[in-house]
């Protein structure tokens, strides 16, 4: 009888990489920066998650996001809505709240329900996230910046980098 790991085949020359060990130096830097803020009397950044569906994967993603934020000293607040129609108002409230530094929306909310301003209602919500709070780089500002090869949101000073969606950026590169 062979074990599960013995039957697993890898491509020649392939090497399994531990993503946690690659992420750790970046997470250490985040923890150090958060600690520096707190020592200066500034609250840790606040990431707000918006969840308006019962999709188990979205719920699990929200749970893991909160766990990772707390481990790195970042404040995390999950805002849940029973009715998806309430997401737009919650999103606008988060955009306008000066205490909120980042927003993540857990999709799907409407799925492929059509919208008057885009392919789907979820697309409309993606574009409603302010570029100042968009931690995933999915809003219109960042997607169009990727398309036009713009890497900063404050041209010509070029001190504030765009948040570009990593998968799409890797394809462009």
């Amino acid at each position: 009888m062979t074990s599960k790991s013995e039957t697993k085949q890898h491509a020649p020359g392939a090497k399994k990489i531990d993503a946690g060990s690659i992420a750790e130096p970046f997470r250490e830097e985040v923890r150090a920066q958060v600690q520096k803020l707190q020592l200066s009397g500034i609250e840790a950044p606040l990431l707000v998650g918006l969840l308006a569906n019962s999709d188990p994967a979205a719920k699990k993603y929200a749970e893991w996001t909160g766990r990772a934020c707390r481990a790195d000293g970042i404040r995390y607040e999950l805002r849940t809505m029973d009715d998806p129609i309430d997401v737009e108002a919650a999103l606008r409230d988060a955009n306008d709240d000066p205490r909120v530094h980042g927003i993540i929306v857990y999709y799907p909310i409407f799925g492929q329900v059509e919208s008057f301003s885009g392919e789907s209602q979820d697309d409309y919500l993606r574009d409603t996230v302010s570029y100042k709070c968009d931690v995933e780089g999915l809003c219109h500002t960042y997607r169009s910046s990727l398309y036009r090869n713009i890497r900063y949101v404050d041209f010509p000073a070029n001190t504030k980098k765009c948040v570009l969606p990593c998968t799409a950026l890797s394809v462009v590169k």
Side-chain angles (χ1 to χ4, degrees), residues 154-166:
D154 63 341
F155 180 81
N158 293 346
T159 60
K160 297 179 182 175
K161 286 188 172 184
C162 287
V163 177
L164 300 175
C166 57

Side-chain angles (χ1 to χ4, degrees), residues 25-100:
F26 298 101
R27 294 185 75 181
E28 284 176 12
E29 183 180 347
V30 167
R31 287 189 290 268
Q33 291 296 324
V34 169
Q35 187 176 33
K36 197 178 194 181
L37 288 172
Q38 291 172 323
L39 290 173
S40 299
I42 300 170
E43 272 192 305
L46 172 62
L47 175 64
V48 168
L50 300 176
L51 179 66
N53 65 50
S54 57
D55 181 83
K59 286 182 177 181
K60 185 55 77 175
Y61 186 23
E63 179 185 314
W64 280 98
T65 303
R67 190 175 297 170
C69 284
R70 286 186 293 277
D72 292 338
I74 295 171
R75 295 177 300 140
Y76 176 74
E77 186 179 301
L78 181 61
R79 298 178 183 177
T80 58
M81 283 124 280
D82 293 327
D83 189 343
I85 204 70
D86 296 329
V87 174
E88 183 179 1
L91 181 52
R92 291 191 186 281
D93 287 346
N95 277 335
D96 295 338
D97 186 340
R99 298 171 303 129
V100 175

